[in-house]
Amino acid sequence: MATVTEALAHAWQVHQQGDVPQAERIYRQVLQVDPGNANGWCYLGIACYDLGKMDEAVAAYQQALRLNSNFPIAHNNLGNALSALGKLDEALACFDRALEMKPDYANAFNNRAAVFVKQGKFAEAEVAFQQALRLAPNYAPALANRGAALVKQGKLHEGVASSQEALRHNPGYAEAHKNLGIVLLLQGNFEQGWAEYEWRWKTGELKLPAFRQPLWDGERLAGKTILLHAEQGLGDTVHFIRYAQLVQQHGGRVVVACYKPLLPLLRSCPGIDELVVQGEEPPQFDVWVPLLSVPRILGTTLATIPANVPYLSADEKLVQHWRGKLPGADTFKIGIAWQGSPQYRDDRQRSIPLVHFAALADVTGVQLISLQKGPGTEQMGALAGRFTVTDLGPELDRQSGPFMDTAAVMKSLDLVVSADTVIAHVAGALGVPVWTALSHPPHWPWMLDRDDTPWYPKMRLFRQTTSGNWHNVFQRMAANLSTQLSSRDSENARLG
């Protein structure tokens, strides 16, 4: 008969071998026998965290700490779970308590720094990373995370050096490989960048679906059915769904598993034979591939980016409907979107306070029309008459489905101006003129030092010159807009 200590040791071995669900079951069995075992609750918290059950992880760690308050590992792990839930101040308090008990806890310093990065407090993050590295100079997680933080500050060369140092100490450290891939893609080095970016599946941040069918390697499909599996955000899916047509040209039937809100819009995308909701049971298929892995498989370079735009279309009846409803027939109508999903880890950097759009509203002859849905719409009520943004009301996308009315409205506008959210990608994929405001540094598909993008021919990029400085971005937009409208008015006068 195994003792509780032996059972926990066995469960941890199972856990380390990758069978986390089985390890969780054993931990729970042990805790039924010995519910006062703080170590058991901490192990259960780790299993729940690894399985993405963050609320259960928090509850398990809290129970461990009720049983043993002097438990720095449980405080540290609780901090990680709270951070994953977006409770960043609570997470910092947990790391601080862990460090009070164990001042040489390098991992707690590293995790504390990672929360500062999420908060955009990069100077504080650098200090915490350095504290971790003074304690453990060869600590690959701190080196890799410091590299990512440096990249977020635009210090690309220093960030690459830190990631490379992490790989010298741990050549198989996935986070460092992924971070290196992001910088290479930012720099337009697709050949090496795509390969390094594949390491994203080994970081623990993303999980490959457990399909029994093999991954596609680019071979001719010869009538087989391939499942393209969406990953990451809605914008990434809209951006890379263009590859469905190229995959179909390999001679197979293409099924796309995507997020439910995109189903109505993606029905207009060429190359898709069937759309299904991601997470539901897909139809039979022979091979599959994550959507953002297709560019690597097909060998996409800067010169071969598939820019056959538009590859999405709006319903013509909806276009006519909204064209007749939009106000301001004689104004220059600009659709705007400022807020992305708050769940996105870099949302603090990419979303824009609505007040910055005042610079556009101040341009004579301009009318701003909201394309914003959900989070961010509350900012319209706080404008207090500073400038006017037309709200199209709850009717937008209610009957026709997500993004369908939005796409139709876009086709009736003179311009779309958006933060780096799905709205910018939808406008780009529809082939409507769109200006996208980018943080410094931007998400990797936008690359560096250019005001256009080969992905979307009718998109113009306006970049922050320093992190957090949206004022300068919108001043440049307003100046360009004034010039454009003046030229248009002069041309109209000449023709009139």
Side-chain angles (χ1 to χ4, degrees):
M1 185 76 175
T3 65
V4 165
T5 300
E6 290 169 340
L8 287 176
H10 170 65
W12 182 243
Q13 185 178 25
V14 171
H15 194 149
Q16 294 294 91
Q17 290 170 348
D19 192 351
V20 185
Q22 175 62 11
E24 181 194 8
R25 284 190 287 273
I26 300 173
Y27 296 142
R28 291 189 185 279
Q29 290 168 358
V30 170
L31 289 167
Q32 286 180 339
V33 174
D34 185 8
N37 191 303
N39 287 335
W41 285 106
C42 190
Y43 279 127
L44 177 61
I46 297 170
C48 291
Y49 181 94
D50 289 347
L51 291 168
K53 299 189 285 190
M54 295 304 162
D55 288 325
E56 292 182 50
V58 167
Y61 292 135
Q62 288 174 335
Q63 179 61 19
L65 290 166
R66 277 191 285 270
L67 294 165
N68 179 9
S69 60
N70 188 28
F71 197 166
I73 292 175
H75 282 294
N76 178 63
N77 291 358
L78 176 58
N80 283 334
L82 290 168
S83 175
L85 290 170
K87 299 178 179 180
L88 303 185
D89 290 334
E90 293 178 50
L92 286 174
C94 290
F95 299 133
D96 288 343
R97 283 195 288 273
L99 288 165
E100 287 172 9
M101 298 171 192
K102 186 175 170 58
D104 62 346
Y105 200 168
N107 185 252
F109 277 118
N110 175 59
N111 294 332
R112 189 169 182 266
V115 170
F116 284 136
V117 171
K118 286 185 177 182
Q119 293 178 324
K121 298 177 180 177
F122 297 116
E124 291 93 330
E126 280 200 54
V127 170
F129 282 132
Q130 287 305 117
Q131 289 170 313
L133 290 168
R134 274 196 293 270
L135 292 166
N138 301 337
Y139 188 40
L143 288 165
N145 288 337
R146 183 183 67 178
L150 289 166
V151 168
K152 288 180 186 297
Q153 297 173 76
K155 301 175 182 179
L156 301 189
H157 295 299
E158 296 173 54
V160 167
S162 194
S163 292
Q164 289 173 333
E165 187 178 352
L167 292 173
R168 280 195 293 274
H169 297 299
N170 185 350
Y173 191 59
E175 192 71 29
H177 279 289
K178 184 204 73 174
N179 292 345
L180 188 57
I182 287 172
V183 176
L184 291 167
L185 291 169
L186 262 174
Q187 294 171 332
N189 183 346
F190 287 2
E191 183 178 4
Q192 296 179 52
W194 296 129
E196 292 286 358
Y197 194 57
E198 282 299 300
W199 284 83
R200 67 192 182 278
W201 299 112
K202 298 182 180 180
T203 63
E205 183 180 341
L206 301 170
K207 292 185 184 298
L208 278 171
F211 296 131
R212 58 176 177 78
Q213 294 87 340
L215 284 163
W216 184 54
D217 61 5
E219 66 181 2
R220 294 293 300 175
L221 291 167
K224 293 179 180 179
T225 296
I226 183 170
L227 178 70
L228 296 188
H229 196 272
E231 52 171 299
Q232 302 185 55
L234 298 180
D236 294 306
T237 302
V238 173
H239 189 146
F240 290 97
I241 198 63
R242 69 185 76 208
Y243 279 93
Q245 192 171 18
L246 297 181
V247 172
Q248 191 183 60
Q249 291 170 7
H250 281 67
R253 183 172 184 272
V254 176
V255 176
V256 171
C258 73
Y259 309 106
K260 190 173 183 179
L262 291 176
L263 280 176
L265 182 66
L266 296 193
R267 290 191 182 104
S268 68
C269 182
I272 299 176
D273 294 294
E274 185 175 356
L275 276 166
V276 296
V277 177
Q278 183 171 301
E280 296 183 0
E281 186 67 26
Q284 287 190 340
F285 61 94
D286 301 293
V287 292
W288 76 284
V289 65
L291 187 57
L292 271 66
S293 293
V294 178
R296 175 189 61 81
I297 292 168
L298 298 186
T300 298
T301 66
L302 199 54
T304 63
I305 285 175
N308 186 18
V309 173
Y311 55 87
L312 296 181
S313 59
D315 182 277
E316 191 56 37
K317 289 183 179 179
L318 291 176
V319 173
Q320 294 304 319
H321 168 77
W322 284 103
R323 189 162 288 165
K325 293 195 66 164
L326 289 178
D330 297 327
T331 60
F332 190 86
K333 292 183 282 295
I334 302 177
I336 63 172
W338 54 93
Q339 173 71 57
S341 169
Q343 277 70 51
Y344 176 55
R345 66 178 183 180
D346 289 333
D347 185 62
R348 290 169 181 260
Q349 284 72 51
R350 60 92 181 258
S351 287
I352 306 165
L354 175 58
V355 294
H356 287 289
F357 285 78
L360 305 183
D362 289 342
V363 177
T364 302
V366 163
Q367 180 166 11
L368 302 185
I369 298 171
S370 173
L371 300 175
Q372 189 70 41
K373 300 281 287 185
T377 54
E378 73 284 350
Q379 295 182 41
M380 292 178 64
L383 291 177
R386 169 66 182 84
F387 61 97
T388 300
V389 179
T390 299
D391 184 359
L392 297 178
E395 178 187 351
L396 193 72
D397 294 331
R398 184 169 58 186
Q399 296 295 325
S400 58
F403 299 106
M404 294 300 288
D405 285 324
T406 298
V409 170
M410 286 180 180
K411 295 292 288 185
S412 304
L413 298 171
D414 298 293
L415 178 67
V416 173
V417 176
S418 178
D420 181 12
T421 72
V422 63
I423 292 295
H425 290 281
V426 171
L430 289 169
V432 303
V434 52
W435 292 358
T436 304
L438 299 179
S439 60
H440 175 77
H443 188 33
W444 59 262
W446 306 122
M447 295 182 281
L448 301 168
D449 304 323
R450 56 190 300 164
D451 60 10
D452 68 337
T453 168
W455 295 101
Y456 298 116
K458 288 194 174 182
M459 181 180 286
R460 185 170 180 182
L461 306 176
F462 288 80
R463 302 173 182 271
Q464 286 183 345
T465 53
T466 56
S467 181
N469 186 353
W470 291 118
H471 175 77
N472 180 264
V473 169
F474 280 85
Q475 290 301 310
R476 282 184 280 123
M477 279 190 178
N480 276 269
L481 186 58
S482 295
T483 300
Q484 179 177 326
L485 293 183
S486 296
S487 298
R488 187 191 67 167
D489 291 343
S490 297
E491 181 65 14
N492 288 342
R494 184 183 69 79
L495 293 175

